Amino acid sequence: MVARTFLVRHDDSTFTVDYDTDDGFEVFQFQLFSLTSIPPDEQKIVGEDNDRIISDDSDLAAVSEKLQLVSITSEEARKPEKQEETTSSTTGAGNFDAGTSVMSDEELARMLQAEEEALLLQQYVAGDNRAHFEEKVRPHISKVLLYEDPVRQEAARKTVPLDNLEEKALVSLAKEGNFKPSKVEEDHAFLLQLLFWFKRSFSWVNAPPCDGCGNETTAQGRGDALPSEIQYGATIVELYRCNSCSRVTRFPRYNDPLKLVETRTGRCGEWANCFTLYCRAFGYESRLVLDFTDHVWTECYSEALGRWMHLDPGEAIYDRPLLYEKGWGKKLNYVIAIAKDGVYDVTKRYTRKWNEVLSRRAITTESSVVSVLTSITKECRRNCTSQVLSILEERDNIEREALERDLRSTDDAPISLPGRQSGDKQWRIARSEFGTDSLSSSSCTVRICSDEHVTKIYNAFSSILHKFVEDSLTASKGVEVLKILRATVVDLKKLPYKKRRASLKPNSVVGTSLVHQLLPSFKELLNALSLKSERDSNGILSVCLAGDPVQTALALPVALHALDELISDLSKCDNFSKGSLSFPLLRLNRICSGAVLASGEELPFGIATAAFDGTRMSKWEEPNGAKGCWIMYKLSANMQELVAYELMSANDAPERDPMDWVVEGSNDGGLSWHVLDERRSEMFDKRFRRKTYNVKSTGFLSNMFRFRFLAVRDVKSTSRLQVGSIDLYAKQN
């Protein structure tokens, strides 16, 4: 039901916008985006009658119908430099980035008062144990210096599948439409892929398997370290007795990352220790971060972000510094970052409850903490040149300002963070770090969908199937031809992304002459994959790169999954003929290259655009969508008539499959909606099951489509909805 109609003024134009309370404020922002091209995260909406800034549904309910829309970016650009300096000095927190949400004056006053009281109280409860604080920090200096050893760095690099991670990094950027990334962007993307690879290659140890029979073991206490273990820093050795054969297995807690590169086992200490070496081995400025409440992780300086970035290798989570306080429920006290050039108190990056943290910092006074860290840092920098010292000191000042700014930011308020995922469940519960089973999730931003290659691949099969009919191939023989193409795609995927070349190999059913005969019909598919065919002097056909290898890397998984489905569909054709060449065997005129917004998404692997990327390897996941959620697709060009669509179930958790939904179209950029199709009690009988639906209400031209998912298959057992893929098909002209 439309609750209100707003008149929104932007620059010299005024727009009439219907606000539906069922849709919520995010949809209202997306409507404004469709009208003004200002993304939601850059919108500043103000009530014209009282200058009230609108930030949620309740604000909209409290203002008159006249609103003004301003682009934050444009507004910041118009501010005179002197005004910015005045604002900074007033807040005492440096220059705020455009779009950063900060507390209201009242909230800030309350926080500062609480911090002042906590700091005053801390003077009475903090011990005078400066030496104990220093003893907890200083031993880690020698550990981080090991990361600078060329031998250790080379040992780490040798274990990394470099080509594979480079390919994944570039493909991740290409999925965002960035096919020409800068070196800085490439480095940032590679670091994230290094993190994900490390999570898969390193093993968490709750209790090691028996060295003799491989069965489960039970902890038996500790033993004395052997000389061969002490050699690699294992001062602690845990002992475990086999539950089957009673053999004792040793678990040395190695501290030398060189040994950890070999064993690739351990708990958070080993994980962070080894991963930080990997980061240094690839040239990233890195720190080992020590949490006094018993956890360790890594920070790297991201040139792309212009700041230090949190990375937890055990959780494969990055840039979520509130993970521990907000997700795990940890009661932090001291978080110290340790690098080759100094030690830093970065606790404020990991909390939004500084006054509470202050009450727990009881080892020594705050002035002693500063004194100890300053002294150690000077020692670390004693051999630095004056030029290097100047650079380091400037970075230190910038970081201090950033820590104060972040402490008072509310940007992360809508982000849902998980409890600890690594380690045995009972162990996590015992440590009060279990939290929830949720992964990191947040409200969704507008994302550009770079999926034109998916549409090109789908269209390319038309010429192949038409050639089958023209040459009177049976469906079974056509399947064999497609299997040859599939085998070639598989071979190409296995090769380094810059050196892809594979043969089209005939089989006992499809001979060389038939492959040569059909070759012209393959051209469109090869073009869609940035590939070309070549024939050597012996008549052997091969397929190789014809353009940007990243385009090929992005498209090959789509082609593989499309071939799997086409082979399955063609195998079911009893009488294959020209009449068979229709939807859904031919999936023509797929809509692509739009903008996507959803009610929510899973970070980092369940984002909204994953629903449109054409592969089974990804999915859109809405953490709170079981009882209702939505996803919208805004066209980039002319209006289209939606005549059909397809949904595919995701890789796991059938209870999260969509069951009831409504498909709507809008011809005014989301101001009003027309129901195109409704489905109830739909069931996906297996994983990766694609279901095709013809739109019931045709003839309506739209520039935006919306799926409103009303319920999942088993709403009692999950809070989530997930969709493997969504494909939209327009009427052919």
Side-chain angles (χ1 to χ4, degrees):
M1 180 184 71
V2 175
R4 300 186 62 183
T5 298
F6 289 99
L7 298 176
V8 183
R9 183 165 61 86
H10 171 63
D11 292 339
D12 297 327
S13 302
T14 300
F15 304 95
T16 301
V17 183
D18 291 333
Y19 171 59
D20 189 331
T21 54
D22 291 335
D23 292 339
F25 182 65
E26 289 176 342
V27 176
F28 182 72
Q29 289 181 293
F30 197 72
Q31 291 173 307
L32 296 179
F33 167 61
S34 68
L35 295 169
T36 65
S37 298
I38 300 175
D41 56 351
E42 295 182 13
Q43 293 177 6
K44 179 179 178 181
I45 307 171
V46 182
E48 287 199 340
D49 291 347
N50 56 8
D51 292 331
R52 177 172 181 166
I53 297 177
I54 313 301
S55 59
D56 56 29
D57 295 334
S58 61
D59 290 336
L60 276 178
V63 298
S64 71
E65 70 279 0
K66 294 182 179 180
L67 305 175
Q68 181 180 6
L69 173 65
V70 180
S71 168
I72 292 174
T73 304
S74 300
E75 187 180 56
E76 290 295 322
R78 289 195 297 268
K79 286 183 180 179
E81 185 176 348
K82 186 174 181 179
Q83 179 182 347
E84 289 180 358
E85 292 174 354
T86 303
T87 303
S88 299
S89 61
T90 302
T91 62
N95 292 325
F96 288 92
D97 293 333
T100 299
S101 300
V102 296
M103 297 177 177
S104 66
D105 291 343
E106 183 179 349
E107 290 172 322
L108 180 59
R110 284 199 300 267
M111 172 177 271
L112 293 175
Q113 177 67 27
E115 289 176 11
E116 185 177 338
E117 293 174 356
L119 193 58
L120 182 64
L121 178 62
Q122 195 223 30
Q123 297 179 16
Y124 297 98
V125 300
D128 188 17
N129 207 340
R130 171 187 172 128
H132 178 58
F133 177 80
E134 185 169 351
E135 287 170 5
K136 293 179 74 70
V137 175
R138 188 173 285 279
H140 295 276
I141 301 297
S142 58
K143 181 182 293 186
V144 300
L145 291 179
L146 293 177
Y147 306 147
E148 305 308 307
D149 175 30
V151 173
R152 287 175 171 83
Q153 290 188 4
E154 180 61 20
R157 284 193 292 267
K158 284 181 178 179
T159 66
V160 176
L162 188 59
D163 279 342
N164 182 259
L165 297 194
E166 284 182 354
E167 177 183 359
K168 288 184 175 181
L170 293 170
V171 167
S172 71
L173 293 168
K175 284 186 174 182
E176 299 172 358
N178 186 357
F179 288 93
K180 302 283 184 188
S182 66
K183 178 65 164 56
V184 167
E185 291 169 329
E186 285 186 33
D187 288 345
H188 183 79
F190 181 86
L191 176 60
L192 300 187
Q193 294 304 322
L194 184 67
L195 174 71
F196 303 147
W197 167 82
F198 188 84
K199 172 66 173 176
R200 295 189 300 270
S201 65
F202 213 86
S203 299
W204 185 274
V205 175
N206 293 308
C210 175
D211 283 342
C213 65
N215 286 316
E216 293 182 355
T217 61
T218 302
Q220 298 294 304
R222 293 183 177 180
D224 295 331
L226 302 174
S228 60
E229 296 165 338
I230 295 173
Q231 178 185 355
Y232 295 104
T235 56
I236 296 174
V237 177
E238 299 172 0
L239 303 179
Y240 293 83
R241 186 174 299 278
C242 180
N243 298 336
S244 298
C245 70
S246 298
R247 176 171 175 167
V248 173
T249 294
R250 302 172 65 84
F251 177 42
R253 303 298 303 275
Y254 292 115
N255 280 298
D256 190 330
L258 180 63
K259 187 65 174 179
L260 297 176
V261 167
E262 174 191 329
T263 65
R264 300 199 197 185
T265 59
R267 302 193 192 111
C268 61
E270 289 91 346
W271 281 67
N273 187 4
C274 192
F275 180 68
T276 310
L277 170 64
Y278 275 101
C279 293
R280 289 298 298 130
F282 286 98
Y284 298 98
E285 289 294 323
S286 307
R287 298 165 166 175
L288 185 69
V289 182
L290 175 65
D291 161 26
F292 280 20
T293 62
D294 194 24
H295 191 45
V296 195
W297 59 88
T298 305
E299 284 184 350
C300 287
Y301 191 81
S302 168
E303 296 288 349
L305 300 177
R307 57 176 171 80
W308 289 94
M309 181 173 67
H310 150 258
L311 301 107
D312 191 315
E315 307 294 295
I317 288 181
Y318 64 93
D319 209 20
R320 288 287 178 261
L322 296 187
L323 172 69
Y324 312 108
E325 180 178 82
K326 191 174 180 180
W328 296 17
K330 286 176 77 70
K331 306 298 183 183
L332 299 171
N333 47 31
Y334 300 92
V335 181
I336 308 299
I338 303 156
K340 69 180 190 302
D341 52 28
V343 289
Y344 312 84
D345 185 354
V346 294
T347 313
K348 289 181 178 179
R349 177 172 294 127
Y350 296 92
T351 182
R352 292 296 179 269
K353 302 175 182 179
W354 179 237
N355 59 309
E356 295 180 16
V357 170
L358 275 172
S359 69
R360 296 190 290 269
R361 287 164 68 101
I363 297 177
T364 188
T365 62
E366 292 302 293
S367 59
S368 292
V369 170
V370 172
S371 177
V372 168
L373 299 184
T374 300
S375 176
I376 296 175
T377 297
K378 285 183 178 179
E379 292 178 25
C380 295
R381 298 178 179 180
R382 61 177 176 267
N383 295 323
C384 293
T385 65
S386 58
Q387 182 179 6
V388 171
L389 284 173
S390 177
I391 293 172
L392 291 173
E393 288 168 3
E394 181 181 3
R395 182 180 285 186
D396 290 349
N397 291 332
I398 292 172
E399 182 174 23
R400 278 192 289 269
E401 292 180 358
L403 290 174
E404 293 295 334
R405 179 175 67 244
D406 293 345
L407 193 63
R408 288 153 177 78
S409 169
T410 60
D411 278 351
D412 42 43
I415 296 176
S416 170
L417 293 167
R420 188 170 192 154
Q421 306 295 305
S422 56
D424 177 78
K425 180 178 179 180
Q426 295 306 317
W427 179 76
R428 287 179 280 154
I429 292 173
R431 291 167 60 94
S432 300
E433 296 173 349
F434 190 69
T436 70
D437 284 326
S438 171
L439 297 177
S440 178
S441 61
S442 72
S443 56
C444 181
T445 60
V446 176
R447 298 184 183 277
I448 302 302
C449 198
S450 297
D451 61 336
E452 184 180 4
H453 61 288
V454 182
T455 298
K456 288 181 177 179
I457 290 169
Y458 288 3
N459 290 343
F461 288 112
S462 175
S463 58
I464 296 174
L465 293 181
H466 275 92
K467 183 64 173 174
F468 289 175
V469 172
E470 180 183 322
D471 292 356
S472 301
L473 264 66
T474 62
S476 60
K477 184 161 284 191
V479 165
E480 292 301 318
V481 173
L482 295 177
K483 286 181 178 179
I484 291 173
L485 284 173
R486 185 189 185 281
T488 305
V489 169
V490 170
D491 289 343
L492 289 166
K493 281 181 87 298
K494 293 177 181 177
L495 297 170
Y497 76 103
K498 293 180 180 178
K499 301 177 181 178
R500 285 185 159 132
R501 176 183 288 271
S503 298
L504 281 166
K505 301 172 184 176
N507 57 33
S508 58
V509 179
V510 180
T512 302
S513 61
L514 182 55
V515 172
H516 287 197
Q517 177 183 326
L518 296 172
L519 185 60
S521 68
F522 299 163
K523 185 176 181 180
E524 187 178 352
L525 177 61
L526 296 179
N527 287 340
L529 300 174
S530 294
L531 297 170
K532 62 182 179 181
S533 63
E534 290 183 346
R535 188 183 308 181
D536 66 15
S537 58
N538 297 318
I540 296 176
L541 278 173
S542 61
V543 174
C544 60
L545 294 171
D548 184 355
V550 178
Q551 293 271 13
T552 303
L554 179 65
L556 282 176
V558 178
L560 179 61
H561 299 155
L563 278 163
D564 285 340
E565 293 176 352
L566 186 56
I567 288 169
S568 176
D569 292 342
L570 193 59
S571 298
K572 300 170 186 175
C573 289
D574 295 328
N575 299 304
F576 182 58
S577 63
K578 189 174 182 179
S580 306
L581 302 181
S582 61
F583 184 79
L585 188 65
L586 285 183
R587 294 149 66 190
L588 299 174
N589 220 28
R590 178 184 177 275
I591 296 171
C592 63
S593 303
V596 180
L597 180 69
S599 53
E601 62 183 6
E602 195 77 50
L603 301 175
F605 299 119
I607 62 174
T609 47
F612 302 93
D613 65 8
T615 81
R616 296 197 296 258
M617 298 184 296
S618 61
K619 61 185 176 184
W620 168 54
E621 189 164 354
E622 222 288 17
N624 302 299
K627 295 182 179 179
C629 61
W630 50 264
I631 187 168
M632 296 191 294
Y633 195 99
K634 180 178 180 289
L635 304 185
S636 59
N638 298 330
M639 293 195 183
Q640 300 273 13
E641 178 186 348
L642 186 70
V643 294
Y645 62 93
E646 293 180 316
L647 296 183
M648 186 175 71
S649 58
N651 63 315
D652 62 0
E655 67 274 10
R656 301 176 187 171
D657 288 344
M659 185 175 69
D660 302 336
W661 63 81
V662 177
V663 183
E664 299 166 310
S666 173
N667 58 12
D668 52 16
L671 300 179
S672 60
W673 295 95
H674 176 81
V675 174
L676 303 176
D677 197 55
E678 293 185 66
R679 301 288 168 166
R680 295 290 186 274
S681 301
E682 290 291 328
M683 300 291 284
F684 294 82
D685 56 2
K686 60 182 179 180
R687 302 302 84 207
F688 305 125
R689 172 61 183 270
R690 181 183 295 274
K691 299 189 73 172
T692 302
Y693 302 93
N694 292 312
V695 169
K696 296 177 180 178
S697 176
T698 57
F700 186 82
L701 294 176
S702 304
N703 59 7
M704 187 180 295
F705 300 103
R706 177 171 68 178
F707 283 77
R708 286 195 292 115
F709 294 103
L710 308 178
V712 296
R713 181 169 174 172
D714 187 357
V715 73
K716 293 181 180 179
S717 65
T718 183
S719 65
R720 298 171 170 272
L721 173 137
Q722 64 184 28
V723 177
S725 70
I726 301 174
D727 291 293
L728 308 172
Y729 298 95
K731 183 178 181 180
Q732 297 184 51
N733 298 325

